[in-house]
Amino acid sequence: MGMLAAAAALGLCAASVLPSTAQELRVATSYKLLTLDPHYAVLNENIALLSHIYERLLYQDEALNLKPGLATSWKRLSETQWEFKLRENVRFQDGSAFGAEDVVYTIKRIQGFLKPPSGGFQAYAKSIKSVTASDPLTVVVETDGSVPTLPLQLSNIFIMHHEAAGFRTTEELNSGALANGTGPYKFDSWQSGETLKLTRNEDYWGGKPSWSEVTFRIIESPAARVAALVAQDVDLADFIPARDVEGVKKRGLKVESVSAARSNFLQFDLGREELPEVTDKDGNPIPNPFRDVRVRRALAMATDRQFLADKILLGYGTAAAQFFPNGLPGTSANLVPEPPDYEKAKALLAEAGYPNGFNLSLAGSSGRYPGDGETLQAIAQNWARAGIGVKPVAVPFSVFETNRAGGKYAVWYAGCSGEAVDICLNAVVASPDKERGTGALNYGNYRNPAFDDALAKARTIEVGPERDAAIARAAELVMADQPVIPLYHFHHISAYGGKVASYTMHPRGWTTAMQAVPSDK
């Protein structure tokens, strides 16, 4: 029953700085909450913040394993039917009892009520044919065909209280007066883009929450978040830049970090016969060299990933050889980053017909991810040692996206994250196919039928050890072909003062009061 999902026990918010009280937690966050509608958009801002107020049937722990939430158990009755047993004695924050009708109401709201630009959660309910309450604490879900990952999909969905009057609009929910979940904290007040305040749900089914009040300030500037923490205006700050960690520690503050459930990587254009700005050393256009796997492997050999993690990310990154950090479900223990070998890389390039190397532009964003622009510069120096002439091109992310879509790049820096590693495999390196829903981020037009088949078969297996092993084997198969070069998993970094005894980081990067344990101070 171990599965993957988006965690229910986390959240982000913001609030004005108030005089500190013994049980008040004040948080500076980079996340900018845009709505109080728990079904409006699949954004980390909403996922993290609203998990204080609302809960899911299942949630994802810090190892990305699926755990019981409002559902205590779940099982597959047939190829198309699942049964979920719900937790007893749970009440919404208005005092009404939680039950199966609330789950039915929630699914129907997502499926049929919300329309674009909202309705991002519809992808998680798309496969559901019907949902019924077989008794007050049992839900039976009928799917349209076999859906082995239904619990994973449902674990992304916050449960709302059913109302006889029908579905509430996003505008109605944004008033805050209708915020009514089963979570550990109640809504108090909200200023969009600025602050949010929560109060303890004294009747929470999971026990009395640690903090009587939680106030969040949205501070988008990393330097300003650090300054607020150092000045003791807040007790906890998220997304601390690696360059500020030592200074924060010298101030007596504590720092926690975790490898993100994501990777940043280089992606090749394999679809076109000739590529922009890829030339021989005399500047003459050449056929697409990346179509030769020996070239792709040579460039991977010439990439010092440990240097990137240690120097560019200042030790707050983990060198990567696959999409998620090693040890998480679906990752392979056999995929580990190798140290660079420039002589072997040059020999492999010569074998592929490029004894003198060639020239190219390496594109990426600047300021989108930690160390992105500096990473391009470092890789240019790495590849130069193998005979490749590299012109780094770092531009604002919006410009990068436009240029990549317009076919202006031959090889570029990108990233992927998700609630499960197979989501990135399916999006980035599976063959593009709209009907099958594969290759949405496969901008390089890479195609590998053997991998497609292996991944598709792995995804038919119910989430658990057997599925994880099958996905890991598929990952090994595709990484041997090197369609991308995984670089690193950057770390999520948070810091906190003396009022917090400990803080548990989550690889999805969420920031919540539930992760913070109060000290005795």
Side-chain angles (χ1 to χ4, degrees):
M1 197 164 59
M3 299 189 176
L4 305 174
L10 303 169
L12 305 199
C13 328
S16 56
V17 176
L18 302 175
S20 178
T21 59
Q23 290 181 298
E24 178 193 1
L25 179 69
R26 304 163 302 164
V27 183
T29 180
S30 65
Y31 283 137
K32 189 175 183 179
L33 182 71
L34 300 178
T35 178
L36 292 175
D37 186 338
H39 303 147
Y40 184 83
V42 185
L43 297 171
N44 264 3
E45 292 89 323
N46 289 30
I47 290 169
L49 166 62
L50 296 180
S51 65
H52 289 84
I53 302 169
Y54 298 94
E55 295 180 295
R56 303 174 177 86
L57 295 178
L58 324 159
Y59 73 93
Q60 196 175 23
D61 68 9
E62 291 81 14
L64 301 192
N65 292 313
L66 203 61
K67 300 293 184 181
L70 292 176
T72 56
S73 66
W74 53 96
K75 65 180 179 180
R76 201 174 188 181
L77 302 178
S78 70
E79 281 293 297
T80 60
Q81 271 196 340
W82 288 82
E83 179 185 82
F84 296 82
K85 291 291 186 180
L86 306 183
R87 192 175 296 278
E88 297 179 357
N89 302 318
V90 175
R91 292 194 172 275
F92 283 92
Q93 292 158 359
D94 67 356
S96 58
F98 159 74
E101 289 297 337
D102 301 305
V103 180
V104 174
Y105 173 93
T106 294
I107 298 300
K108 289 185 176 179
R109 181 177 191 262
I110 290 170
Q111 285 186 319
F113 182 69
L114 295 177
K115 306 296 181 185
S118 62
F121 285 86
Q122 288 176 348
Y124 299 125
K126 185 178 181 181
S127 62
I128 296 176
K129 188 175 181 179
S130 67
V131 54
T132 56
S134 59
D135 67 48
L137 290 174
T138 304
V139 173
V140 175
V141 178
E142 180 83 24
T143 59
D144 187 10
S146 177
V147 185
T149 58
L150 181 70
L152 165 63
Q153 295 174 20
L154 292 183
S155 66
N156 289 281
I157 293 174
F158 288 119
I159 303 301
M160 293 181 66
H161 177 49
H162 77 280
E163 296 187 39
F167 302 120
R168 296 291 187 175
T169 65
T170 298
E171 288 73 24
E172 289 177 307
L173 291 171
N174 281 343
S175 72
L178 300 173
N180 181 30
T182 60
Y185 293 93
K186 295 181 179 181
F187 174 82
D188 183 274
S189 62
W190 175 49
Q191 289 179 281
S192 179
E194 295 182 19
T195 65
L196 184 135
K197 183 173 181 178
L198 306 166
T199 59
R200 180 161 56 201
N201 178 4
E202 300 287 350
D203 300 318
Y204 180 55
W205 63 266
K208 186 177 180 179
S210 297
W211 307 96
S212 60
E213 297 178 357
V214 181
T215 56
F216 287 79
R217 290 177 65 191
I218 294 172
I219 304 178
E220 295 185 79
S221 163
R225 286 197 302 280
V226 171
L229 182 64
V230 169
Q232 299 183 35
D233 291 334
V234 296
D235 307 303
L236 170 70
D238 64 16
F239 296 97
I240 302 296
R243 65 179 179 272
D244 292 330
V245 168
E246 289 308 311
V248 165
K249 287 181 176 179
K250 287 178 180 178
R251 299 274 187 164
L253 301 166
K254 296 179 181 178
V255 173
E256 297 289 345
S257 69
V258 68
S259 293
R262 63 167 300 119
S263 71
N264 287 80
F265 51 86
L266 301 183
Q267 189 171 27
F268 301 103
D269 186 329
L270 302 174
R272 292 179 287 174
E273 292 185 6
E274 288 192 2
L275 300 174
E277 299 188 63
V278 176
T279 70
D280 63 20
K281 287 302 182 74
D282 294 323
N284 302 307
I286 58 175
N288 185 344
F290 307 131
R291 287 182 167 180
D292 191 324
V293 66
R294 293 171 296 184
V295 172
R296 303 195 297 271
R297 288 175 181 164
L299 294 179
M301 284 182 187
T303 303
D304 192 343
R305 288 172 260 199
Q306 195 60 54
F307 176 87
L308 300 177
D310 291 344
K311 302 301 182 183
I312 303 301
L313 299 181
L314 303 179
Y316 286 91
T318 301
Q322 53 191 317
F323 282 106
F324 273 18
N326 210 324
L328 292 180
T331 58
S332 169
N334 297 321
L335 293 174
V336 294
E338 299 289 342
D341 191 325
Y342 302 108
E343 293 307 313
K344 278 190 178 180
K346 286 194 283 188
L348 203 52
L349 286 170
E351 184 183 314
Y354 303 97
N356 300 316
F358 52 88
N359 295 334
L360 58 82
S361 290
L362 176 61
S365 58
S366 177
R368 169 75 172 183
Y369 305 106
D372 48 9
E374 296 91 337
T375 292
L376 300 181
Q377 297 285 345
I379 292 172
Q381 294 176 25
N382 285 170
W383 288 4
R385 297 179 63 176
I388 305 295
V390 181
K391 181 177 75 174
V393 179
V395 295
F397 186 68
S398 58
V399 176
F400 168 78
E401 280 198 307
T402 299
N403 288 346
R404 181 177 60 187
K408 293 187 177 181
Y409 300 141
V411 56
W412 56 87
Y413 174 100
C416 181
S417 64
E419 62 263 30
V421 69
D422 60 291
I423 290 174
C424 286
L425 288 167
N426 190 64
V428 178
V429 288
S431 300
D433 188 324
K434 287 186 178 180
E435 289 187 9
R436 293 175 59 191
T438 59
L441 302 179
N442 187 350
Y443 301 113
N445 201 28
Y446 171 72
R447 296 176 184 272
N448 184 333
F451 164 72
D452 291 341
D453 185 57
L455 181 63
K457 288 179 179 177
R459 299 188 97 198
T460 66
I461 303 170
E462 197 171 327
V463 177
E466 182 183 353
R467 177 187 176 94
D468 292 342
I471 289 172
R473 289 193 296 271
E476 291 171 6
L477 190 159
V478 74
M479 288 307 172
D481 205 27
Q482 208 73 66
V484 298
I485 302 176
L487 299 175
Y488 46 67
H489 317 287
F490 64 72
H491 292 185
H492 296 304
I493 310 171
S494 293
Y496 53 94
K499 202 169 169 187
V500 178
S502 64
Y503 186 74
T504 302
M505 298 287 293
H506 195 282
R508 295 295 305 280
W510 294 306
T511 307
T512 73
M514 292 79 83
Q515 296 162 259
V517 175
S519 68
D520 295 331
K521 295 180 181 180

